[in-house]
Amino acid sequence: MAIKSVIKSTGAYLPEKILSNQDLEKMVDTSDEWITQRSGIKTRHIAADDQTTADLATLAGRDALERSGLSAGELDGVIVATTTPDQTFPSVAVKVQAALGIPAGLAFDVQAVCSGFVYALAMADNFIVRGQARRLLVIGAEKMSSIVDWKDRTTCVLFADGAAGVVLEAQESADESVTARGIHSTHLYADGNLRDLLYTDGGPSSTGTSGHIKMQGREVFKYAVSHMATVVNEALEENGISADDVDWLVPHQANIRILEATAKKLEMPIEKVVVTVDHHGNTSAASIPLALHEAVCDGRIKQGDLLLLEAMGGGLTWGSALIRF
Ligand code: UT7
């Protein structure tokens, strides 16, 4: 009997305020046409000034917990992927733990920028498979609007806020094939030599401020397409399956052109790719669980579907997770 980490439920929270491309036209020298053509983004959610990442994460975590049918006391911990914590410390995860009334267990944040959710999921899976936890809440939460330079048109039109997550639960299964429910593989990578392609120009030990996002978009785009396709192929090979066996690709939502190029490279119809970038923008670590939750709620993703999650972001970091939902 092998232990698998099964997704018991998903949950999400998106801030009320919606910022359109037309709104952005009034803020910087840009156009709806440019943003739509270059990124596929039309609208995005922006948190209120007094709403922190922990607030967003708590609402998403509560939603996932309620949908799981479990009580807070049945969780063994919280892992939050974020690059925009409320404070340098303590972590967002301990705030979520306290707010949801989770009485015990581990709580920490993961910093892998846009790959954060895949990294956090991989860690949670390792804890569960090793028997160190039975049920974990894994959240991706970001207030990217707090580190965007709202005068920089090359980045402010792309990034956005939101939070979403999953409750993972240990389930024993005699079936060790890819037909069994749960996480079947995770692959994580980083190349720190490429850290200057996407970064913030500040931090606690350098400037004493959080800094603003700087990105060499064209370069990042190139790496995104090649790394995402490579890591997806690796997941397919390791599990002895082909792209045809995957029901849904649930990628990090940075740019519709990256999603289309990745789908093309994998010879996968775009209809099998969950696309939310048009109305979520780039929510960094929150983007994959937000896309997953949306597709679960609207009935596209059903129990038993084979999902391939993939991401690439600052670091550069990238990774994938193959999951039977
Ligand atoms: O989530 C982490 C990973 N991030 C990504 O994967 C993002 C990857 N990169 C991208 O998605 C794209 O590179 C962008 C959407 C950021 C940019 O698209 P692009 O086709 O690579 O445009 P570009 O950066 O090459 O810029 C083209 C032109 C430039 O003008 P010149 O130099 O050709 O005269 C920019 O100054 O577009 C100009 N530009 C804008 N124009 C209107 C840049 N931003 C804007 C803007 N509105 N907001």
Side-chain angles (χ1 to χ4, degrees), residues 29-31 34-35 38-39 114 153-154 157-159 198 215 217-218 220-221 224 252 254-255 257-258 282 312-314:
D29 180 15
T30 191
S31 64
W34 190 95
I35 303 169
R38 302 292 177 122
S39 74
C114 300
R153 68 174 184 172
T154 67
V157 303
L158 304 172
F159 292 96
L198 179 51
M215 178 166 72
R218 216 174 303 180
V220 176
F221 188 103
H252 168 52
N255 187 318
R257 291 186 293 137
I258 296 176
N282 183 344
M312 200 215 69

Coordinates of all heavy atoms in Angstrom, one line a residue, residues 29-31 34-35 38-39 114 153-154 157-159 198 215 217-218 220-221 224 252 254-255 257-258 282 312-314, ligand 1:
D29 N 1.2 55.2 -20.1 CA 1.1 55.3 -21.5 C 0.9 53.9 -22.1 O 1.9 53.2 -22.5 CB 2.3 56.0 -22.1 CG 2.3 56.1 -23.6 OD1 1.2 55.9 -24.2 OD2 3.4 56.4 -24.2
T30 N -0.3 53.4 -22.2 CA -0.5 52.0 -22.7 C -1.9 52.0 -23.4 O -2.6 53.0 -23.4 CB -0.5 51.0 -21.5 OG1 -0.5 49.7 -22.1 CG2 -1.7 51.1 -20.6
S31 N -2.3 50.8 -23.9 CA -3.6 50.7 -24.6 C -4.1 49.3 -24.3 O -3.4 48.4 -24.1 CB -3.4 51.0 -26.1 OG -2.6 50.0 -26.6
W34 N -2.6 47.0 -26.9 CA -1.3 46.5 -26.6 C -1.3 45.4 -25.5 O -0.8 44.3 -25.7 CB -0.3 47.6 -26.1 CG 1.1 47.2 -26.0 CD1 2.1 47.3 -27.0 CD2 1.8 46.4 -25.0 NE1 3.3 46.8 -26.6 CE2 3.1 46.2 -25.4 CE3 1.4 46.0 -23.7 CZ2 4.0 45.5 -24.6 CZ3 2.3 45.3 -22.9 CH2 3.6 45.1 -23.3
I35 N -2.0 45.7 -24.4 CA -2.1 44.7 -23.3 C -2.7 43.4 -23.7 O -2.2 42.3 -23.5 CB -2.8 45.3 -22.1 CG1 -2.2 46.6 -21.6 CG2 -2.8 44.3 -20.9 CD1 -3.0 47.4 -20.6
R38 N -0.3 41.6 -26.4 CA 1.0 41.1 -25.9 C 0.8 40.1 -24.7 O 1.7 39.3 -24.5 CB 1.8 42.2 -25.4 CG 2.1 43.3 -26.5 CD 3.0 42.7 -27.6 NE 3.3 43.6 -28.6 CZ 4.5 44.0 -29.0 NH1 5.6 43.6 -28.4 NH2 4.6 44.9 -30.0
S39 N -0.3 40.2 -24.0 CA -0.4 39.4 -22.8 C -1.7 38.6 -22.7 O -1.8 37.6 -21.9 CB -0.3 40.3 -21.5 OG -1.5 41.0 -21.3
C114 N 6.7 32.9 -8.8 CA 5.5 32.4 -9.6 C 5.5 30.9 -9.5 O 4.4 30.3 -9.8 CB 5.5 32.9 -11.0 SG 5.4 34.7 -11.1
R153 N 5.0 51.0 -17.0 CA 4.0 50.3 -17.9 C 4.4 48.9 -18.3 O 3.6 48.1 -18.7 CB 3.7 51.2 -19.1 CG 4.9 51.2 -20.1 CD 4.5 51.9 -21.3 NE 5.6 51.9 -22.3 CZ 5.6 52.3 -23.5 NH1 4.4 52.8 -24.0 NH2 6.6 52.3 -24.3
T154 N 5.7 48.6 -18.2 CA 6.1 47.3 -18.7 C 5.7 46.2 -17.7 O 5.7 45.0 -18.0 CB 7.7 47.2 -18.9 OG1 8.4 47.3 -17.7 CG2 8.1 48.3 -19.9
V157 N 0.9 46.6 -15.9 CA -0.3 46.1 -16.6 C -0.5 44.6 -16.5 O -1.5 44.0 -16.9 CB -0.3 46.5 -18.1 CG1 -0.1 48.0 -18.3 CG2 0.9 45.8 -18.8
L158 N 0.6 43.9 -15.9 CA 0.6 42.4 -15.9 C 0.2 41.8 -14.6 O -0.5 40.8 -14.5 CB 2.0 41.9 -16.2 CG 2.6 42.4 -17.6 CD1 4.0 42.0 -17.7 CD2 1.8 41.9 -18.7
F159 N 0.7 42.4 -13.5 CA 0.5 41.7 -12.2 C -0.7 42.0 -11.4 O -1.3 43.1 -11.6 CB 1.8 41.9 -11.3 CG 3.0 41.3 -11.9 CD1 3.9 42.0 -12.7 CD2 3.3 40.0 -11.7 CE1 5.0 41.5 -13.3 CE2 4.4 39.4 -12.2 CZ 5.3 40.1 -13.0
L198 N 14.3 38.9 -13.5 CA 13.0 39.2 -12.9 C 13.3 39.2 -11.4 O 13.7 38.2 -10.8 CB 12.0 38.0 -13.2 CG 10.6 38.1 -12.6 CD1 10.0 39.4 -12.9 CD2 9.8 37.0 -13.2
M215 N 11.6 43.6 -14.7 CA 11.6 42.4 -15.5 C 12.1 42.6 -16.9 O 11.7 43.6 -17.5 CB 10.1 41.8 -15.6 CG 10.0 40.6 -16.5 SD 8.4 39.7 -16.3 CE 7.3 40.8 -17.1
G217 N 11.2 41.3 -19.8 CA 10.0 40.5 -20.3 C 10.4 39.6 -21.4 O 10.0 38.4 -21.4
R218 N 11.1 40.1 -22.4 CA 11.3 39.3 -23.6 C 12.1 38.0 -23.3 O 11.9 36.9 -23.8 CB 11.9 40.1 -24.7 CG 11.5 39.8 -26.1 CD 12.0 40.7 -27.1 NE 11.7 42.2 -26.8 CZ 12.1 43.2 -27.6 NH1 12.8 42.9 -28.7 NH2 11.8 44.4 -27.3
V220 N 12.5 36.6 -20.3 CA 11.8 35.7 -19.4 C 10.8 34.9 -20.3 O 10.6 33.7 -20.0 CB 11.0 36.5 -18.3 CG1 10.1 35.6 -17.5 CG2 11.9 37.2 -17.4
F221 N 10.2 35.5 -21.2 CA 9.2 34.9 -22.1 C 9.9 33.6 -22.8 O 9.4 32.5 -22.8 CB 8.8 35.9 -23.2 CG 7.7 35.4 -24.1 CD1 6.4 35.8 -23.9 CD2 7.9 34.5 -25.1 CE1 5.3 35.4 -24.7 CE2 6.9 34.0 -25.9 CZ 5.6 34.5 -25.7
A224 N 10.5 30.9 -20.4 CA 9.2 30.4 -19.9 C 8.7 29.3 -20.9 O 8.4 28.2 -20.4 CB 8.1 31.5 -19.8
H252 N 0.9 28.1 -14.8 CA 1.0 29.5 -14.3 C 0.5 30.5 -15.4 O 0.8 30.3 -16.5 CB 2.4 29.8 -13.9 CG 2.7 31.2 -13.6 ND1 1.9 31.9 -12.7 CD2 3.6 32.1 -14.1 CE1 2.3 33.2 -12.7 NE2 3.3 33.3 -13.5
A254 N 0.8 33.7 -16.9 CA 1.6 34.9 -17.0 C 1.2 35.7 -18.3 O 1.1 36.9 -18.4 CB 3.1 34.6 -17.1
N255 N 1.0 34.9 -19.4 CA 0.8 35.5 -20.7 C 0.1 34.4 -21.6 O 0.6 33.3 -21.7 CB 2.2 35.8 -21.2 CG 2.1 36.6 -22.5 OD1 1.3 36.3 -23.4 ND2 2.9 37.6 -22.7
R257 N 0.2 34.1 -24.7 CA 1.1 33.7 -25.7 C 2.0 32.6 -25.3 O 2.4 31.7 -26.0 CB 1.9 34.8 -26.3 CG 1.0 35.8 -27.1 CD 1.8 36.9 -27.8 NE 2.5 37.8 -26.8 CZ 3.7 38.2 -26.9 NH1 4.5 37.8 -27.9 NH2 4.2 39.0 -25.9
I258 N 2.4 32.6 -24.0 CA 3.2 31.6 -23.4 C 2.4 30.3 -23.3 O 2.9 29.2 -23.7 CB 3.8 31.9 -22.0 CG1 4.7 33.1 -22.1 CG2 4.5 30.7 -21.3 CD1 5.2 33.7 -20.7
N282 N -1.5 38.2 -13.9 CA -0.5 37.4 -13.3 C -0.5 37.5 -11.8 O 0.0 38.5 -11.3 CB 0.9 37.8 -13.9 CG 2.0 36.9 -13.4 OD1 1.9 36.2 -12.5 ND2 3.2 36.9 -14.1
M312 N 6.6 28.8 -14.1 CA 8.0 29.3 -14.1 C 8.0 30.8 -13.7 O 7.0 31.5 -13.9 CB 8.6 29.3 -15.6 CG 10.1 29.4 -15.5 SD 10.8 30.3 -16.9 CE 10.3 32.0 -16.5
G313 N 9.0 31.1 -12.9 CA 9.0 32.5 -12.4 C 10.3 33.0 -12.0 O 11.3 32.3 -12.3
G314 N 10.3 34.1 -11.2 CA 11.6 34.7 -10.8 C 12.5 33.7 -10.1 O 12.1 32.8 -9.4
Ligands
UT7_1 O1 5.3 35.3 -14.0 C1 6.6 35.2 -14.1 C2 7.0 35.0 -15.5 N1 6.8 36.1 -16.3 C3 6.5 36.0 -17.6 O2 6.5 34.9 -18.0 C4 6.4 37.2 -18.4 C5 7.1 37.0 -19.7 N2 7.1 38.1 -20.7 C6 6.0 38.5 -21.3 O3 4.9 38.1 -21.0 C7 6.2 39.6 -22.4 O4 7.5 39.7 -22.7 C8 5.6 41.0 -22.0 C9 4.1 40.9 -22.0 C10 6.1 41.4 -20.6 C11 6.0 42.0 -23.0 O5 5.6 41.6 -24.3 P1 6.7 41.6 -25.5 O6 6.0 41.3 -26.8 O7 7.9 40.8 -25.1 O8 7.1 43.2 -25.6 P2 8.5 43.9 -25.4 O9 8.9 43.9 -23.9 O10 9.4 43.4 -26.4 O11 8.1 45.4 -25.7 C12 7.6 45.8 -27.0 C13 7.4 47.3 -27.1 C14 8.5 48.1 -26.5 O12 8.7 49.2 -27.3 P3 9.9 49.3 -28.3 O13 11.1 49.1 -27.5 O14 9.6 48.2 -29.3 O15 9.7 50.7 -28.9 C15 8.0 48.5 -25.1 O16 8.5 49.7 -24.7 O17 6.2 47.6 -26.3 C16 6.5 48.6 -25.4 N3 5.7 48.5 -24.2 C17 4.4 48.9 -24.1 N4 3.6 49.6 -24.9 C18 2.4 49.8 -24.5 C19 6.1 47.8 -23.0 N5 5.0 47.8 -22.2 C20 4.0 48.5 -22.8 C21 2.7 48.8 -22.4 N6 1.9 49.5 -23.3 N7 2.2 48.4 -21.2

